[in-house]
Amino acid sequence: MVTAMTDTTKEKQMTDQRDSINDRVANKESESNAADNRSSMDDIHKNEEFDIEINGTVGKPFVDNVKMSSRNCDVFYGDKQAIFDVNVDIGNHEILAMIGPSGCGKSTYLRVLNRMNDTIPICRVTGEHKLDGEDIYSKKMDPVLLRARVGMVFQKPNPFPKSIYDNVAYGAKLHGLVRTRSDLDDLVEKSLIRAGLWKEVKDDLHKPGTGLSGGQQQRLCIARTIAVDPEVILMDEPTSALDPIATALIEELMIELSGKYTIAIVTHSMQQAARVSNRTAYFHLGKLVEVNETDKVFTNPEHKLTENYITGRFG
Amino acid sequence: MSKQYKNTDTIRAGLKKRYAREKRFQFFGIASIFISFLFLLVLLVNIFSQGYPAFQQTYVKLDVKLDGSVIGVSKDSSPEELFKASYGKLIKNTLKEMFPGVKDRKKKRALKQLVSKSAAYDLRDKIIENPALLGTTQSFWFLAKDDVDVFMKGDIDRTLPEADRRIKDFQLKWIDKLLAENRLEKRFNTTFFTAGDSREPEQAGIKGALIGSLLTMLVTMALSFPIGVLAAIYLEEFAPQNNRWVDIIEININNLAAVPSIVFGLLGLAVFIGFFGVPRSAPLVGGLVLTLMTLPTIIIASRAAIKSVPPSIREAALGLGASKVQTTFGHVVPLAMPGILTGTIIGMAQALGETAPLLMIGMVAFVADVPQGILDPSTVMPVQIYLWSDSPERAFTERTSAAIMVLIAFLVVMNFIAVLLRKKFERKW
Ligand SMILES: Nc1ncnc2c1ncn2[C@@H]1O[C@H](COP(=O)(O)OP(=O)(O)OP(=O)(O)O)[C@@H](O)[C@H]1O
Ligand SMILES: [Mg+2]
């Protein structure tokens, strides 16, 4: 088990280093943390810290003002189980950060919440999942409506091979959210401004979205998602390809959006989790180890694994 | 070099070998392109050099005395009477006057065969158009008989002993006289493009087969493209995965692509003609049979094209709340379109050149009329080529090559349209 993890952990280590370098530019206080990360490369191979047993989730996975919730969530890819018995709530107007080593199932769990896993034939989801008290996996729930209400920004930027304008306008047109052309123009402009892309592309709206840089594409995808005004936004490492300035902008956007929407964000940057989120969930090998107030997770984690992870003892 | 960077030395040492391998590969690539190009060139030059004479045709000028009494009509005859009269007599008399003293029956027949049989029909049409011509003497250009035409194109060597020639000495004298009087002329062969098939080479044209092929292709296209693409879309995007039935269908489609085409002809005969009573020899039944043959090609190519659309595009659309159908037709199919069109054009090109399945459904008949619709008896170009190549007359040999040229031109036009369409869909972003 340990050897199997080494490769992915190493990879993640690299990402983390890059992240921490970015973050250092953005806010200097994290310097010591980054140094920790680098030294941890050496003791990766002898991490008995990694194999500590997990008995249920510690901390406060449940809240009073629930927007979405999961109970007894298991996810299987074919015969392989990727998520083990996750129980958690996401509160109204809350930003929930999900952290954890690469391959621990963060993306998988996020995709449970808007039934994106339905598109993977071998993927099977069990448990009870609710949005505003409605079962999202019931026959009555229309996945099309669900995905309009629960928007998603994917880990890899995936703009349509269409113009920038059409990319942003697509969702609104699809759901008939705007009446007139000028309303649509306004919506596109507003969404691009909020995603921090407007200045760069305002003269090239009819150029292909796929011709943008990786970071610009990611912001285009964010603009595309917020243009439909979803109730919940799921973000899978939305800033992993962005520079510190754009990252700060997206983080501001998230905080602003949380006044109106509910946000779940997967991130590899613990500084980011610390900056934007209200609560933080730590995943480990498909299990939800700890959910707590973000401050508590980063200052005084309840579980040993969480502590090992945030202090950079392993990837 | 320093010990420290051992790998650098290893890599540097191997570089030469790698580049040599690359060079070798390039050489083989260029050589194979060159060889295939050479074959193509030989083929084209061969066909062209044999076929281009067919685009010219010899005409004979005759001064015909339009004596109505000989054939029993006058200016006032009704159109029916004018239609029924035998104008051949007028032409025969003209020739007799031009070359007096031909007594021998065989020679008499040979004399008549200086001009094509179609001359009489030409004359008839002209007189019906303008009966006032009767009683005057007019010069007309008539199609020459194929032997004269072949001679005019230099394909008969007059230095050969008489017994080895199709044109005998006495015929040569006639031709020489006609030539001396400027009564023989080679012109662009419009007949070849405006007439259907005929037993007489000089009257035979490709139009019947061309229209037949066109109609057959239209039927094939109209059926196989939508059916093939929709089947591919369903199998690729909507069908349940790992389902036994879907697997069976998939295996069968792949097998169908390898079935000899004549088998489709037998199937067409039994099902479309035998059971459904579709008229035989018609472009409709030809198109149906060729559809069966083309479908597997289109389905397989379309599925490959659909499969190669990155899944992230589907996720993006679904994630925004597009339905399955909206995702498929709004994003996946447009992106797969270039590949789908490529598959379709390959299938259509195959169908265009196919003869074997058409044998079974009666499209290998001699059809002189140009088909007017998809229910008329007709033939198609490859079949026409086959029929002509089987005919003994020298004039049909060149027409065979000319027909091949027309077929290739048809194919090029078809491909060109497909390339244009593909360009339209192929956005490089
Ligand atoms: N489509 C799939 N088919 C099969 N297995 C999958 C699939 N997607 C993910 N998995 C498996 O599920 C596990 C969790 O993957 P997931 O993508 O959720 O990880 P993650 O936490 O998002 O990692 P990262 O931080 O690298 O994005 C992994 O072991 C992975 O191999
Ligand atoms: Mg992920």
Side-chain angles (χ1 to χ4, degrees):
Chain A
M1 179 57 99
V2 174
T3 39
M5 281 304 293
T6 339
D7 274 1
T8 37
T9 19
K10 243 187 215 160
E11 257 172 52
K12 218 235 89 232
Q13 196 69 38
M14 314 277 245
T15 345
D16 237 8
Q17 273 186 29
R18 198 191 52 219
D19 270 348
S20 37
I21 289 162
N22 281 349
D23 290 332
R24 231 179 327 158
V25 182
N27 60 342
K28 297 216 166 71
E29 75 214 12
S30 64
E31 254 165 65
S32 58
N33 212 336
D36 265 354
N37 267 347
R38 237 168 300 141
S39 61
S40 67
M41 280 276 255
D42 303 325
D43 48 29
I44 243 170
H45 299 284
K46 43 170 175 129
N47 52 30
E48 51 276 6
E49 293 97 329
F50 199 75
D51 285 333
I52 296 167
E53 210 175 318
I54 306 160
N55 290 317
T57 308
V58 300
K60 288 191 284 179
F62 309 124
V63 294
D64 296 335
N65 190 2
V66 183
K67 181 72 184 173
M68 296 195 85
S69 69
S70 290
R71 294 291 178 274
N72 311 105
C73 170
D74 289 329
V75 181
F76 302 85
Y77 288 110
D79 295 335
K80 193 183 141 215
Q81 189 162 3
I83 297 278
F84 299 82
D85 191 32
V86 165
N87 296 282
V88 70
D89 287 343
I90 306 175
N92 239 327
H93 306 313
E94 169 182 69
I95 301 182
L96 175 72
M98 301 179 188
I99 58 172
S102 189
C104 67
K106 306 180 294 294
S107 299
T108 302
Y109 177 65
L110 209 59
R111 293 162 57 96
V112 166
L113 296 175
N114 68 345
R115 287 182 64 170
M116 226 34 225
N117 284 331
D118 290 10
T119 62
I120 301 173
I122 56 163
C123 187
R124 198 159 51 82
V125 178
T126 63
E128 199 174 57
H129 308 272
K130 287 185 170 160
L131 170 65
D132 287 337
E134 283 174 81
D135 185 358
I136 59 180
Y137 280 82
S138 81
K139 284 236 160 58
K140 268 182 276 165
M141 177 58 77
D142 185 346
V144 169
L145 179 62
L146 174 70
R147 291 183 195 134
R149 291 172 67 189
V150 183
M152 181 157 200
V153 177
F154 293 86
Q155 187 163 357
K156 272 184 272 169
N158 53 357
F160 299 122
K162 295 177 189 283
S163 71
I164 294 172
Y165 184 96
D166 287 339
N167 260 287
V168 182
Y170 181 73
K173 275 200 258 181
L174 195 66
H175 302 302
L177 300 180
V178 281
R179 289 269 153 68
T180 64
R181 178 83 199 181
S182 68
D183 282 354
L184 192 60
D185 289 347
D186 289 345
L187 177 69
V188 169
E189 180 177 344
K190 197 183 81 190
S191 307
L192 284 169
I193 289 173
R194 293 171 92 184
L197 191 61
W198 176 251
K199 269 196 220 121
E200 286 149 79
V201 301
K202 65 170 181 286
D203 299 321
D204 304 324
L205 285 181
H206 292 282
K207 292 214 177 128
T210 37
L212 297 172
S213 78
Q216 287 173 327
Q217 286 185 19
Q218 189 60 293
R219 278 177 283 159
L220 179 62
C221 293
I222 293 172
R224 185 175 69 183
T225 303
I226 58 179
V228 247
D229 251 2
E231 297 167 31
V232 180
I233 304 179
L234 311 173
M235 293 181 157
D236 200 345
E237 296 181 40
T239 59
S240 60
L242 300 190
D243 65 273
I245 299 167
T247 302
L249 216 139
I250 297 301
E251 287 176 3
E252 267 165 44
L253 173 70
M254 282 189 264
I255 293 165
E256 178 203 321
L257 289 176
S258 69
K260 212 168 137 202
Y261 312 110
T262 302
I263 297 175
I265 174 181
V266 169
T267 178
H268 277 303
S269 155
M270 280 172 269
Q271 288 74 33
Q272 182 167 63
R275 280 194 298 266
V276 299
S277 69
N278 308 101
R279 285 191 309 149
T280 297
Y282 174 65
F283 283 80
H284 189 91
L285 290 178
K287 293 178 180 139
L288 182 55
V289 177
E290 174 169 355
V291 186
N292 253 324
E293 304 294 332
T294 299
D295 287 344
K296 178 145 177 21
V297 170
F298 286 106
T299 53
N300 184 19
E302 274 180 49
H303 202 282
K304 184 76 181 130
L305 275 170
T306 319
E307 189 187 329
N308 289 345
Y309 181 71
I310 61 165
T311 52
R313 210 105 348 114
F314 57 80
Chain B
M1 285 285 151
S2 61
K3 281 259 153 58
Q4 213 181 341
Y5 302 115
K6 215 171 75 230
N7 282 355
T8 312
D9 290 340
T10 320
I11 293 167
R12 189 173 289 135
L15 274 183
K16 219 168 153 186
K17 234 179 176 171
R18 280 201 241 170
Y19 283 127
R21 202 177 306 152
E22 234 155 84
K23 277 258 166 59
R24 232 172 12 244
F25 175 76
Q26 274 197 358
F27 171 77
F28 285 132
I30 291 172
S32 25
I33 289 178
F34 184 75
I35 291 171
S36 39
F37 205 75
L38 204 72
F39 276 121
L40 192 68
L41 206 70
V42 168
L43 183 78
L44 284 180
V45 167
N46 183 13
I47 290 171
F48 189 78
S49 61
Q50 284 191 24
Y52 86 93
F55 294 116
Q56 287 204 319
Q57 174 65 41
T58 309
Y59 283 76
V60 190
K61 187 164 94 173
L62 296 181
D63 302 329
V64 188
K65 209 162 109 205
L66 299 167
D67 187 352
S69 59
V70 176
I71 51 171
V73 291
S74 71
K75 278 182 208 130
D76 308 318
S77 300
S78 69
E80 285 93 67
E81 281 168 326
L82 285 176
F83 189 83
K84 277 192 202 136
S86 59
Y87 296 88
K89 252 189 207 156
L90 290 177
I91 291 168
K92 208 165 83 189
N93 288 347
T94 309
L95 285 167
K96 262 191 204 154
E97 267 171 45
M98 282 171 75
F99 304 102
V102 180
K103 292 274 144 52
D104 187 348
R105 256 189 73 203
K106 230 172 96 190
K107 287 190 180 176
K108 267 187 185 165
R109 222 187 40 232
L111 183 61
K112 226 170 73 186
Q113 290 196 341
L114 277 175
V115 287
S116 163
K117 273 192 200 133
S118 70
Y121 306 125
D122 279 356
L123 200 57
R124 178 190 69 197
D125 293 345
K126 294 216 163 87
I127 301 236
I128 289 176
E129 199 181 296
N130 183 8
L133 290 176
L134 282 171
T136 63
T137 300
Q138 299 282 336
S139 359
F140 295 109
W141 286 96
F142 292 118
L143 267 178
K145 191 78 184 120
D146 59 322
D147 284 339
V148 180
D149 183 50
V150 169
F151 175 79
M152 283 292 286
K153 285 169 183 166
D155 289 330
I156 290 176
D157 187 355
R158 64 193 305 165
T159 59
L160 281 175
E162 189 178 10
D164 295 351
R165 271 189 259 124
R166 253 187 90 74
I167 299 227
K168 307 298 176 198
D169 285 343
F170 64 92
Q171 286 166 302
L172 273 182
K173 260 185 226 135
W174 297 338
I175 293 174
D176 286 340
K177 184 171 177 234
L178 287 172
L179 273 173
E181 291 173 22
N182 279 333
R183 284 176 183 279
L184 281 175
E185 202 175 286
K186 276 192 282 180
R187 297 189 189 165
F188 182 68
N189 186 359
T190 47
T191 316
F192 185 67
F193 295 100
T194 55
D197 197 8
S198 167
R199 298 275 182 227
E200 311 296 331
E202 74 277 1
Q203 292 175 49
I206 190 76
K207 189 176 175 194
L210 190 69
I211 301 291
S213 268
L214 192 72
L215 291 173
T216 310
M217 284 301 106
L218 284 178
V219 172
T220 310
M221 181 80 187
L223 291 173
S224 63
F225 182 72
I227 297 177
V229 173
L230 287 177
I233 290 172
Y234 181 79
L235 285 175
E236 209 49 59
E237 297 285 316
F238 295 93
Q241 303 261 327
N242 302 322
N243 179 305
R244 209 155 54 92
W245 290 110
V246 176
D247 288 347
I248 290 174
I249 290 174
E250 206 176 318
I251 291 167
N252 278 312
I253 288 174
N254 291 344
N255 282 340
L256 275 183
V259 167
S261 54
I262 196 157
V263 176
F264 290 110
L266 282 168
L267 185 74
L269 179 65
V271 176
F272 299 131
I273 298 179
F275 189 74
F276 289 107
V278 180
R280 61 170 58 224
S281 304
L284 177 61
V285 69
L288 284 168
V289 166
L290 292 177
T291 299
L292 290 181
M293 208 197 79
T294 335
L295 266 180
T297 311
I298 295 184
I299 294 177
I300 291 170
S302 302
R303 288 188 66 180
I306 291 168
K307 205 175 274 177
S308 70
V309 173
S312 64
I313 297 294
R314 295 182 183 85
E315 291 203 327
L318 291 172
L320 281 172
S323 67
K324 190 92 200 189
V325 170
Q326 284 169 326
T327 306
T328 304
F329 287 95
H331 298 278
V332 177
V333 174
L335 287 175
M337 216 19 133
I340 292 176
L341 285 175
T342 306
T344 307
I345 202 65
I346 290 172
M348 296 300 286
Q350 252 175 21
L352 180 64
E354 201 58 65
T355 44
L358 304 180
L359 279 170
M360 294 291 128
I361 50 167
M363 288 189 94
V364 194
F366 170 79
V367 180
D369 292 325
V370 177
Q372 302 297 313
I374 56 170
L375 294 175
D376 290 351
S378 74
T379 187
V380 291
M381 277 195 287
V383 169
Q384 187 70 80
I385 290 166
Y386 165 72
L387 289 175
W388 282 351
S389 72
D390 220 22
S391 306
E393 286 92 342
R394 178 69 182 77
F396 271 131
T397 314
E398 58 183 39
R399 276 176 173 73
T400 306
S401 295
I404 293 174
M405 283 156 72
V406 173
L407 179 64
I408 291 175
F410 192 111
L411 206 72
V412 168
V413 169
M414 217 165 85
N415 274 327
F416 185 70
I417 294 172
V419 168
L420 281 187
L421 278 175
R422 203 161 55 199
K423 273 270 151 58
K424 221 187 118 191
F425 285 106
E426 202 168 56
R427 307 213 200 146
K428 291 238 157 53
W429 33 292

